[in-house]
Amino acid sequence: MSMFNIFNVSGSAISAQAQRLNTVASNLANADAVAGPDGQAYKARQVMFQTVPMGNGQASAGVKVVNVVESAAPNRREFSPQHPQADAQGYVTHSNVNPVEEMVNMISASRSYQNNVEVMNTAKTLMLKTLQMGQ
């Protein structure tokens, strides 16, 4: 594997994890949302990744986001007949976002992002040291 492929692999992972972090942020921002005017409450979203070969017959592979899917988990319903968004039975439909799961997902994505930045910094340092040896 070429040293330059390391930047391609880590770069693709950083880009994918950045999109994952944005999705988690959107989920957390809507964790307490109730059904909107259309009657539908916010559904949590998850990022789906796919392995991508990095070309030239190399054994290296990167990652890309192929889809962002909505969670199939049921929305939380709460009995609150005084709420302005309550339905005819007196229930308010809330989003299906689990804040604890989203925080764990955010920590995982953040660590993956940080690790790939560290890989790129280490590769850069190694390349600079190699160039200095030739002087």
Side-chain angles (χ1 to χ4, degrees), residues 12 20 48 50 56 61 75 81 84 96 100 111 115 117 119 125:
S12 71
R20 182 177 169 199
M48 305 299 290
Q50 179 181 17
N56 297 338
N75 289 358
N96 64 350
V100 174
R111 295 264 167 88
N115 287 340
V117 168
V119 165
T125 301

Side-chain angles (χ1 to χ4, degrees), residues 4-76:
F4 292 109
N5 278 352
I6 292 172
F7 294 107
N8 293 335
V9 172
S10 289
S12 71
I14 286 172
S15 176
Q17 293 304 329
Q19 190 165 349
R20 182 177 169 199
L21 282 167
N22 286 336
T23 303
V24 168
S26 178
N27 287 344
L28 285 171
N30 289 290
D32 290 329
V34 296
D38 61 353
Q40 300 297 316
Y42 180 84
K43 294 245 184 220
R45 293 177 172 88
Q46 299 297 325
V47 177
M48 305 299 290
F49 298 116
Q50 179 181 17
T51 304
V52 179
M54 295 312 276
N56 297 338
Q58 300 281 334
S60 61
V63 64
K64 74 173 184 175
V65 174
V66 290
N67 202 2
V68 178
V69 296
E70 284 187 349
S71 170
N75 289 358
R76 184 173 52 92

Side-chain angles (χ1 to χ4, degrees), residues 6 19 48 101 108 120 132:
I6 292 172
Q19 190 165 349
M48 305 299 290
E101 286 180 11
S108 173
M120 291 179 93
Q132 288 174 352

Side-chain angles (χ1 to χ4, degrees), residues 116-127:
N116 280 290
V117 168
E118 190 61 34
V119 165
M120 291 179 93
N121 285 334
T122 302
K124 180 185 85 169
T125 301
L126 290 172
M127 291 176 90

